[in-house]
């Protein structure tokens, strides 16, 4: 009787183990505090773009988070290391923080101080031939009916794309 019970338990265990092999294992990315500290150091001391992009992904997860943690490092990358896309991220972070949206047409509803910063940063990266900044400026200028600026920016965008 004991041998039969033991044998049945072994068979149940073997069958349950064989079924688990088919299940997918989901990997979860985890960043510990020392990782972010090293990334911050790489950004501030070396202007490392890969570290900046990784830190941005960490700080802005989930994607729709209205966080501004990356803002400090965006200013460093834009001003100290001349990374044009960081200017775009500065503008985006300010709009998210102040207007709680990702809609760039809302630039017109920002307070004057933030509006000046956002437009300066977008113009700076547009002047560095960053397409996304030029597109955002086109949308913004359309929203305020600045047709002459829209035409100028559309010509610039055309030359960047072609």
């Amino acid at each position: 009787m004991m041998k039969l019970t033991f044998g049945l338990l072994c068979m149940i265990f073997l069958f349950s183990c064989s079924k688990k092999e088919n299940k997918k294992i989901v990997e979860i990315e985890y960043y510990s505090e020392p990782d972010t500290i090293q990334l911050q150091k790489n950004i501030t001391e070396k202007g490392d773009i890969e570290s900046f992009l990784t830190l941005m992904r960490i700080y802005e997860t989930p994607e729709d988070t209205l966080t501004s943690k990356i803002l400090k490092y965006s200013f460093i990358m834009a001003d100290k290391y001349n990374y044009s896309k960081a200017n775009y991220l500065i503008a985006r972070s300010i709009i998210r923080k102040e207007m709680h949206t990702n809609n760039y047409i809302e630039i017109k509803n920002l307070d004057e101080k933030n509006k000046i910063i956002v437009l300066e940063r977008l113009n700076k990266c547009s002047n560095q031939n960053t397409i996304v900044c030029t597109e955002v400026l086109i949308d913004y200028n359309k929203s305020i009916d600045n047709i002459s600026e829209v035409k100028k920016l559309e010509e610039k965008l055309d030359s960047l794309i072609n």
Side-chain angles (χ1 to χ4, degrees):
M1 180 79 167
M2 192 81 148
K3 287 182 181 181
L4 182 63
T5 306
F6 181 72
L8 286 172
L9 287 174
C10 287
M11 288 177 59
I12 291 171
F13 178 74
L14 286 173
F15 284 120
S16 67
C17 287
S18 66
K19 288 182 180 180
K20 287 183 180 178
E21 289 178 23
N22 295 332
K23 292 183 180 179
K24 288 186 177 180
I25 297 173
V26 177
E27 289 186 31
I28 298 173
E29 279 190 52
Y30 174 75
Y31 298 97
S32 64
E33 194 61 32
D35 291 336
T36 57
I37 291 170
Q38 185 60 49
L39 293 170
Q40 293 167 357
K41 186 176 180 181
N42 291 347
I43 293 165
T44 56
E45 293 178 2
K46 302 174 192 172
D48 183 56
I49 293 172
E50 199 59 42
S51 293
F52 176 70
L53 296 174
T54 302
L55 190 65
M56 183 184 72
R57 283 190 297 272
I58 294 168
Y59 283 169
E60 296 193 347
T61 302
E63 186 177 310
D64 60 347
T65 300
L66 300 173
T67 182
S68 58
K69 286 183 179 180
I70 197 67
L71 192 57
K72 170 185 175 182
Y73 301 99
S74 297
F75 275 107
I76 291 169
M77 290 298 292
D79 296 341
K80 187 174 180 182
Y81 298 105
N82 206 29
Y83 181 53
S84 65
K85 291 181 183 174
N87 285 301
Y88 166 74
L89 295 172
I90 291 168
R92 187 186 73 174
S93 293
I94 291 171
I95 291 167
R96 282 181 167 184
K97 181 180 174 210
E98 298 299 320
M99 304 304 292
H100 303 286
T101 184
N102 290 322
N103 186 348
Y104 291 98
I105 294 173
E106 292 298 320
I107 295 170
K108 65 184 176 188
N109 297 323
L110 284 170
D111 62 84
E112 203 56 37
K113 176 186 165 205
N114 282 315
K115 185 187 300 185
I116 289 169
I117 293 170
V118 167
L119 291 173
E120 282 176 351
R121 293 298 171 158
L122 289 172
N123 280 304
K124 186 173 183 178
C125 69
S126 176
N127 290 337
Q128 293 171 314
N129 298 326
T130 305
I131 292 172
V132 68
C133 294
T134 306
E135 292 171 332
V136 169
L137 285 169
I138 289 170
D139 290 341
Y140 166 71
N141 281 289
K142 283 180 181 177
S143 77
I144 61 168
D145 295 324
N146 188 349
I147 304 304
S148 63
E149 190 65 21
V150 169
K151 286 182 182 182
K152 186 172 92 174
L153 288 164
E154 284 176 339
E155 287 174 12
K156 178 179 187 160
L157 184 60
D158 248 5
S159 70
L160 291 174
I161 293 172
N162 297 322

